[in-house]
Amino acid sequence: MMDFCMSLHPETLLAHAGTISDDASGALLHAPHFVTTFQRAGDGTYPGGYVYTRSGNPTRTLFEDTLARLEGGAACAAFSSGQAATMAILQSLPPESHVLIPESAYFGIGALLETVFSGKSLSYDRVDMTNLFIVKSKIRSETQLIWVETPSNPLCLISDINALAQLAHQNNALLVVDNTLATPLLQNPLKHGADLVMHSVTKYLSGHSDVLAGAVVAKDEALLSGIRQIQTLGGAVMDPFSAWLAMRGMRSLGARMRVHQESAHHVATFLAGHHRVKCVHYPGITSADVQTLISRQMSGYGGLFSFEVFGTAQDALAVTDRVKVFTRATSLGGTESLIEHRHSVEKPPTTTPPTLLRCAIGLEHPDDLIADLAQALAG
Ligand SMILES: Cc1ncc(COP(=O)(O)O)c(C=O)c1O
């Protein structure tokens, strides 16, 4: 029976996530523990193993165990946001560490290093993570961490996780992969040599634009101990309600990702053939070389792409002004499709082209999304 359960597909594990009742009622679902503190026995021990919600909570544990299992990791720590998770990883590095981050990725990690860590003990370089020669040339003896996001946001660049892990390990550094865009369904970076995986749980995992949360999954427990200490002492933990909502979202992740991806493929293909569109950045319609890499480390393409229009930033912004089904908003991974002019959101030194629009495809009928973009581009 155990062997059978160990070989279940991730979609099946997800569909059953949180369906472990821990009371005698027979309730199908885990009852959320909206509580801050736990009773101590007369002898001073904590019979349930929990003390205070900042250090641990059963609902958070259930979320952490589910994500660790999906990623094939030993342990997970769940945070109040993706950025809180990133912050804890950076804070856990030894003083005077050097970090390599992608030139093009979610701008938040660069913003943290540029502002919060500026003048403190971390130095960093931005590199093109798709070019292994450049990455290698930027590694120094103090380099403790290589951070990669693949696919990247918003350019959907694909980096070679296995090769980057080898480069990191040759220098006794860690490889961290931001797996937000792929989700654990499409990519498991730990299986390709990464040491830590970071998720903005806010996005596809929660799936309904109503939870702000993050997580770090580690290859082995020891890698998480410093991060956990920062989390417990600093308090940027995932609260029980967010953990419960995130679990509820994750139960439908398999079905949602299928629709996000199928629709993204349709819409991206339509845009690729449109006379006003200069290019489309989507892993599903990329070059043969990149396809080979994708097939080595991913089992799908995801639901996010970006495209560049001919003309100016104003021309791109005008397209967002005319959409009627898409919503003009940041973020991704919800049921509703979002469109965003990233260049005006990201601050210098952004590498995002001024004529680029990012589309996070939701769960609407793809024909409605195509019709909406067709009229917005025609205007
Ligand atoms: C790829 C990626 N990583 C990390 C983050 C940060 O996550 P959060 O907003 O949950 O702090 C985001 C947010 O947009 C993101 O898109």
Side-chain angles (χ1 to χ4, degrees), residues 83 86-87 90 101 105-116 126 147 149 153 178 342 346:
Q83 280 292 86
T86 302
M87 177 86 174
L90 295 175
I101 62 166
Y106 174 65
F107 75 108
I109 181 161
L112 275 180
L113 287 161
E114 192 61 39
T115 56
V116 179
R126 294 175 194 265
W147 183 284
E149 186 182 296
N153 176 5
D178 182 336
R342 287 299 294 171
E346 298 170 2

Side-chain angles (χ1 to χ4, degrees), residues 203-277:
K203 308 298 189 306
Y204 291 111
L205 291 176
S206 296
H208 295 78
S209 306
D210 52 10
V211 174
L212 187 74
V216 183
V217 183
K219 185 172 63 180
D220 52 64
E221 178 70 51
L223 288 172
L224 214 52
S225 67
I227 293 169
R228 273 201 207 285
Q229 191 181 42
I230 290 161
Q231 182 193 41
T232 302
L233 296 176
V237 294
M238 183 187 276
D239 69 274
F241 188 44
S242 295
W244 182 78
L245 276 177
M247 293 283 298
R248 190 172 69 164
M250 279 162 70
R251 284 206 290 278
S252 61
L253 182 69
R256 284 188 288 109
M257 282 313 286
R258 271 201 298 276
V259 178
H260 287 303
Q261 172 166 308
E262 203 180 291
S263 297
H265 210 286
H266 277 307
V267 183
T269 306
F270 158 76
L271 287 170
H274 197 285
H275 67 280
R276 285 207 54 206
V277 173

